[in-house]
Amino acid sequence: MSAGLVVRPARESDLEAMAELTGRAYTEVDERTFQRDWPGPEPRTPERNAAWAARTAHALRTDPEGCWAAELDGRVVGCAISRVRELMWLLSSFAVAPEVQGRGVGTQLIAAALHHGRGCLRGMLSASADPAAVRRYRLAGFDLHPQMFLTGTVDRDALPVVERVREGSAGDIDLMNSIDRQARGAAHLSDHEALMAQFRVIVKETSSSQGYAYVDGGGSPVLVAASTRRTASDLVWEAFASSAPGSTVSVHHVTAVNQWAIDVGLAARLSVHTSGYLCVRGMKPPAPYVHHGSML
Ligand SMILES: CC(C)(COP(=O)(O)OP(=O)(O)OC[C@H]1O[C@@H](n2cnc3c(N)ncnc32)[C@H](O)[C@@H]1OP(=O)(O)O)[C@@H](O)C(=O)NCCC(=O)NCCS
């Protein structure tokens, strides 16, 4: 344990320092764990830092007791950001500055964040490939489910005709919450507002199935939830169709129970790899579902 270490509730004034240190810590893990045939890790861009800070600012407002910062000699060196939605505890970010890792800071931070979820029946987080992080999660009782990801250029000739997918809006939040409860076991509630501020949302509704997906500006789906695999697949195809020809798209965080997503990715001629784990407690990995890295 480090002398001079204080673990205390995170504040809005910590956002900049927390964005910087999480970006640095995640890039350092990527440098250590990326496969040789992948493009090298890129440091987090200022735009992605700002998106991280906006999502974290939202958590600070909704879950002040779930967000913790570690200060060493007056400098913010770590944080754990968690939220509770209905009866589910969700860990959004967990990082310690590389130069102070391995000194017990992370253990204290995660204990404080886990305490926020003490009344929850279920828990969910998306872990990096860092063995130190994974050790903490398993010791906290989480089951580890390896994640796959698909990446590449979409074969435009493979794009099917997709019907009845429309643009979503704030008026769809009740529908999306109900899809969440069915697919994930807890609604995103106000996290939908934070997601809508950063991504396009598309919705598919028929008499027998419903689903939605958040899609980034490049046509990569970053969160997909649906009542059937067919609907989930249609939403991913619709996202792919919006990518610029020749550009790279990715689908991250695909677990083994979501083979439908692998089938869509392979049909689009993307390649499949593995990275990190979906960690769940008190529940099975959701399906048909592709989780977002921090909003789950
Ligand atoms: C994960 C992280 C937050 C932990 O913080 P930390 O301050 O280094 O953690 P601690 O020092 O409290 O504990 C580290 C634990 O990992 C163990 N550990 C370290 N390297 C390890 C390895 N290669 N394999 C297995 N365990 C390892 C340590 O032994 C220790 O466990 P113990 O206390 O039970 O012996 C920090 O390492 C980090 O920021 N990693 C990069 C970012 C990241 O991947 N975050 C997780 C996102 S999901």
Side-chain angles (χ1 to χ4, degrees):
M1 199 87 50
S2 304
L5 176 74
V6 182
V7 172
R8 53 146 178 89
R11 307 187 272 261
E12 209 161 322
S13 54
D14 300 323
L15 277 173
E16 201 178 317
M18 295 193 302
E20 188 276 330
L21 83 88
T22 53
R24 210 151 47 85
Y26 294 145
T27 305
E28 189 272 331
V29 178
D30 292 347
E31 277 161 1
R32 251 190 293 136
T33 60
F34 267 24
Q35 288 180 17
R36 280 195 197 165
D37 66 340
W38 297 353
E42 300 276 343
R44 215 200 251 157
T45 58
E47 293 74 31
R48 287 188 53 223
N49 252 358
W52 184 92
R55 291 195 300 268
T56 305
H58 177 75
L60 287 176
R61 284 192 293 275
T62 59
D63 295 72
E65 291 167 18
C67 302
W68 294 84
E71 221 179 82
L72 186 62
D73 302 329
R75 186 169 72 96
V76 176
V77 294
C79 65
I81 307 296
S82 71
R83 43 190 104 213
V84 169
R85 296 292 175 264
E86 301 188 321
L87 289 176
M88 183 176 286
W89 178 83
L90 303 145
L91 183 67
S92 298
S93 290
F94 175 42
V96 168
E99 63 277 11
V100 293
Q101 286 175 11
R103 288 157 60 176
V105 178
T107 303
Q108 286 196 48
L109 280 168
I110 197 74
L114 280 163
H115 188 70
H116 181 52
R118 64 198 175 282
C120 291
L121 298 178
R122 293 178 279 277
M124 191 169 161
L125 65 99
S126 181
S128 69
D130 186 3
V134 176
R135 175 177 171 81
R136 289 270 75 83
Y137 302 143
R138 183 62 193 147
L139 291 176
F142 283 82
D143 292 336
L144 309 178
H145 297 274
Q147 291 171 159
M148 290 165 269
F149 73 93
L150 296 139
T151 192
T153 303
V154 172
D155 176 0
R156 314 298 296 182
D157 292 337
L159 290 173
V161 175
V162 172
E163 284 170 347
R164 301 173 84 157
V165 175
R166 59 172 173 81
E167 294 299 311
S169 69
D172 292 307
I173 288 181
D174 285 349
L175 170 70
M176 295 195 290
N177 279 330
S178 112
I179 298 167
D180 289 337
R181 289 188 187 104
Q182 198 182 332
R184 182 179 85 154
H188 282 83
L189 305 177
S190 68
D191 291 343
H192 279 302
E193 290 157 28
L195 284 160
M196 273 185 197
Q198 300 190 355
F199 304 105
R200 171 186 174 218
V201 63
I202 52 176
V203 172
K204 176 158 179 165
E205 245 184 312
T206 67
S207 54
S208 56
S209 74
Q210 302 85 33
Y212 72 86
Y214 285 99
V215 182
D216 76 10
S220 296
V222 296
L223 198 176
V224 185
S227 61
T228 66
R229 293 190 294 269
R230 170 74 199 270
T231 296
S233 303
D234 282 354
L235 289 159
V236 172
W237 278 119
E238 183 67 24
F240 287 172
S242 72
S243 67
S247 64
T248 299
V249 298
S250 303
V251 187
H252 287 275
H253 314 133
V254 178
T255 52
V257 290
N258 287 288
Q259 299 289 327
W260 61 269
I262 299 169
D263 291 339
V264 174
L266 294 181
R269 304 205 75 82
L270 306 187
S271 52
V272 60
H273 305 272
T274 55
S275 179
Y277 306 82
L278 172 67
C279 303
V280 292
R281 194 161 80 167
M283 61 186 280
K284 293 191 172 124
Y289 198 83
V290 175
H291 54 275
H292 181 267
S294 64
M295 300 302 227
L296 284 311

